[in-house]
Amino acid sequence: MTVRTRFAPSPTGYLHIGSVWSALFGWMYAQRHGGQFLLRVEDTDTKRTVEGAMENMMDSLRWFGISWDEGPDVGGEYGPYIQTERRELYQKWANWLVEHGHAYKCFATPEELKEMREAGVEGGYDRRYRDYPADKVAELEAQGKPFVIRYKMPLEGETVVEDMIRGEVVFKNSQTTDFVLLKSNGLPTYHLAHPVDDHFMKITHVTRGVEWLNTAPLHVNIFKSFGWELPQYAHLPVILSPSGKGKLSKRDQAFMDSGETVLVRADEYMHAGYLPEAVDNFLANVGWTFGDDIEKFTIEEAIARFDLADISPTPMKLPYSKLDWLNGQYIQEMNNVELAKALRPYLEAEGWEVNTDALLLVVEAMKPRMKTFPDAIPFLRFLFEESEFTETAESLSHKQLPIENAKAAYQETHDFVANAQPFDVATISNGIGEIAVKHTLNAKVGPFLGKLRQGMTGQSVSPPVYESMVAMGRERCLTRLDKIITLFT
């Protein structure tokens, strides 16, 4: 059997990070077994469809590295892959179910349904049209009465849903209702579209949220009514909000206990300074474990071990703090050219004109301090903005660098910087290192270099002083040193 999995989002808004998680697991399973992964757009809820949402979803998935073998933009043997373009297929099979006694036409009006719900009818519908006489049905149709097509769920016995994560789940048929399959506008509900599409697209494994488990008996019975082979279901656990109360909502902003907002939209991760491989690693750790107490791994390494059956059914929260740690680890592994290129858009968004050569001088030193790319902004502010000079002679001296020693050291540094050739890190480090040894008590260079960096950058945290000075350029360094020397006169 060739494994074929799919991701079938609805373009009613942005892509939720939980949906990316579901798509990732379906894609990984197909990759593990050398199968195919499909993208199918379930756009039959036309009233809620958002313009541009489908394109946003596809862009987001590609950023995460999730590719599809068949889909709206790449085509495939079993298309079209947009449900509103498959309308006639759903109508054909809905009518087939009616003709073979598995479904029926329901003429209940919105007012009638409201009365049933207010009366507390189980499932909100009392099946009044389930066994309506054929001549009465024909009469209502002739009058042009709108109708939907509902499935005839078994009234007795049990339906067993085989789930790869949860095992056998047994449902009493008496506790279900006759769900709508085809709406009065001729478009299907999910309950009809998913079995029809999964059958004709030859889907073998379905990953979806556990919220669909309660209606899985309907889907199982529909497949049986058609005489089609069931796909294997894997109902993924709920991702909880950071508070642990309720699921991580698609429509409501979530917050940590600290009040900090958390990222819910997939496209937020694209712009928040995360690397896609880090977010994939983060998501793969949710509900599934790599084993051997290993938390950092490539997605290719995960695919080699991945099995849907190993996913935990327990609801869980996204460990956002672990994402920051992982992202920091991946940043440290970037080469300096890649990191400088990644940082550039964030720095330019501050209105700064970026000199790549200067940036390359300092990125290596920044890596251990960065969790996300925007972390570089306060670290590098001195390169692009001239900070207010608020230092004093006392703040730029030290118990091992007394005032008089400091005065001489800063003056010699000024003279050296003015004439250093070439003006590079090696030359600067050798010359200033000698000055530090000469003027600091006990020949310790640390006190002077720390105070020099503070005076040059105006920041308590910045890259090492030599790299910072070369990145700033000779003229800016001399201007800053002039201000420092003035403090000691």
Side-chain angles (χ1 to χ4, degrees):
M1 177 183 67
T2 300
V3 169
R4 286 173 62 84
T5 63
R6 48 76 165 174
F7 179 54
S10 175
T12 54
Y14 62 82
L15 190 63
H16 187 267
I17 191 62
S19 298
V20 177
W21 176 62
S22 174
L24 181 69
F25 279 175
W27 175 78
M28 288 172 62
Y29 193 76
Q31 293 288 305
R32 168 73 189 277
H33 295 280
Q36 291 95 44
F37 178 74
L38 284 66
L39 177 65
R40 185 172 75 217
V41 179
E42 299 189 347
D43 64 338
T44 57
D45 189 352
T46 53
K47 291 182 179 179
R48 294 177 54 225
T49 296
V50 175
E51 184 178 356
M54 183 174 73
E55 291 75 16
N56 174 271
M57 289 176 180
M58 291 194 288
D59 288 344
S60 297
L61 290 171
R62 289 192 188 95
W63 183 84
F64 283 93
I66 299 173
S67 59
W68 44 97
D69 301 284
E70 301 170 29
D73 57 333
V74 297
E77 184 178 351
Y78 304 104
Y81 296 89
I82 298 177
Q83 285 187 338
T84 51
E85 297 176 9
R86 300 168 65 85
R87 179 193 303 251
E88 293 181 359
L89 183 67
Y90 307 126
Q91 293 172 348
K92 170 185 174 181
W93 289 99
N95 289 325
W96 186 96
L97 289 171
V98 173
E99 292 164 4
H100 289 78
H102 301 295
Y104 60 96
K105 297 174 181 178
C106 172
F107 296 86
T109 64
E111 293 74 22
E112 289 177 300
L113 293 170
K114 181 181 178 181
E115 290 174 2
M116 293 179 217
R117 288 193 298 271
E118 292 176 348
V121 173
E122 185 75 27
Y125 173 65
D126 59 10
R127 294 186 166 98
R128 65 181 59 178
Y129 289 97
R130 180 180 174 117
D131 298 308
Y132 214 57
D135 60 331
K136 296 290 186 181
V137 171
E139 183 179 327
L140 291 174
E141 279 195 88
Q143 295 173 10
K145 298 287 187 182
F147 64 88
V148 300
I149 292 179
R150 290 181 180 268
Y151 184 74
K152 285 185 177 181
M153 278 295 290
L155 300 178
E156 299 176 347
E158 297 175 334
T159 297
V160 177
V161 176
E162 298 281 354
D163 186 82
M164 296 181 70
I165 297 173
R166 302 160 196 279
E168 285 191 355
V169 186
V170 181
F171 296 85
K172 292 185 178 298
N173 292 329
S174 60
Q175 296 177 350
T176 63
T177 189
D178 291 354
F179 288 94
V180 174
L181 301 182
L182 197 72
K183 295 178 282 189
S184 58
N185 63 3
L187 287 173
T189 64
Y190 172 81
H191 303 304
L192 175 65
H194 129 63
V196 170
D197 286 344
D198 284 350
H199 171 71
F200 286 104
M201 294 181 182
K202 301 188 183 300
I203 300 301
T204 60
H205 296 77
V206 173
T207 56
R208 61 183 184 182
V210 69
E211 62 267 22
W212 292 108
L213 184 57
N214 285 338
T215 52
L218 167 65
H219 307 146
V220 168
N221 279 288
I222 289 174
F223 271 99
K224 289 180 178 179
S225 294
F226 283 132
W228 296 340
E229 184 177 355
L230 270 166
Q232 295 186 54
Y233 288 106
H235 288 91
L236 303 174
V238 170
I239 294 181
L240 300 171
S241 70
S243 68
K245 300 176 181 178
K247 64 185 294 186
L248 186 65
S249 173
K250 178 176 180 178
R251 295 178 176 84
D252 299 322
Q253 179 62 63
F255 298 90
M256 303 290 283
D257 291 339
S258 62
E260 181 184 359
T261 60
V262 300
L263 305 184
V264 176
R265 299 173 56 135
D267 57 8
E268 289 177 316
Y269 290 81
M270 299 166 60
H271 306 295
Y274 291 103
L275 287 158
E277 52 265 39
V279 187
D280 286 345
N281 189 162
F282 163 69
L283 292 175
N285 271 318
V286 177
W288 179 79
T289 56
F290 184 84
D292 304 325
D293 294 324
I294 296 173
E295 293 187 329
K296 181 179 177 296
F297 46 79
T298 67
I299 206 66
E300 290 76 21
E301 291 171 332
I303 287 169
R305 298 188 178 201
F306 183 71
D307 194 332
L308 290 171
D310 293 336
I311 298 172
S312 168
T314 307
M316 63 205 70
K317 297 186 287 186
L318 292 179
Y320 285 98
S321 60
K322 189 170 292 183
L323 170 59
D324 286 346
W325 173 79
L326 279 169
N327 204 61
Q329 296 296 303
Y330 280 93
I331 286 175
Q332 290 188 49
E333 294 175 357
M334 297 178 74
N335 69 51
N336 291 345
V337 174
E338 290 176 339
L339 181 54
K341 182 179 179 181
L343 292 178
R344 191 180 189 105
Y346 296 91
L347 302 177
E348 289 178 339
E350 294 292 306
W352 296 337
E353 185 176 342
V354 179
N355 181 311
T356 301
D357 291 337
L359 191 57
L360 284 171
L361 287 168
V362 296
V363 290
E364 180 65 32
M366 292 176 0
K367 287 179 181 178
R369 295 180 176 273
M370 292 178 61
K371 301 300 182 185
T372 64
F373 296 139
D375 290 345
I377 293 171
F379 202 57
L380 295 179
R381 190 171 298 278
F382 75 96
L383 275 183
F384 308 100
E385 297 179 3
E386 194 63 42
S387 63
E388 182 182 358
F389 191 75
T390 58
E391 304 296 343
T392 64
E394 288 73 21
S395 70
L396 293 181
S397 56
H398 187 274
K399 64 182 180 181
Q400 292 187 357
L401 183 70
I403 294 286
E404 288 303 315
N405 296 53
K407 177 181 179 180
Y410 287 121
Q411 183 62 61
E412 285 190 33
T413 298
H414 179 282
D415 296 341
F416 170 75
V417 168
N419 298 289
Q421 294 296 339
F423 189 73
D424 60 17
V425 172
T427 304
I428 293 297
S429 63
N430 289 334
I432 295 180
E434 291 177 3
I435 294 170
V437 170
K438 178 180 177 181
H439 293 286
T440 308
L441 301 184
N442 300 321
K444 292 183 177 180
V445 301
F448 177 62
L449 296 183
K451 293 300 180 179
L452 177 62
R453 183 177 64 153
Q454 178 181 331
M456 297 302 292
T457 66
Q459 297 179 184
S460 59
V461 179
S462 62
V465 64
Y466 303 136
E467 287 83 354
S468 293
M469 290 178 68
V470 176
M472 289 171 66
R474 191 193 306 268
E475 294 307 315
R476 282 192 66 200
C477 288
L478 291 173
T479 299
R480 199 79 179 180
L481 284 164
D482 285 337
K483 293 181 179 179
I484 294 173
I485 291 168
T486 301
L487 300 174
F488 293 89
T489 58

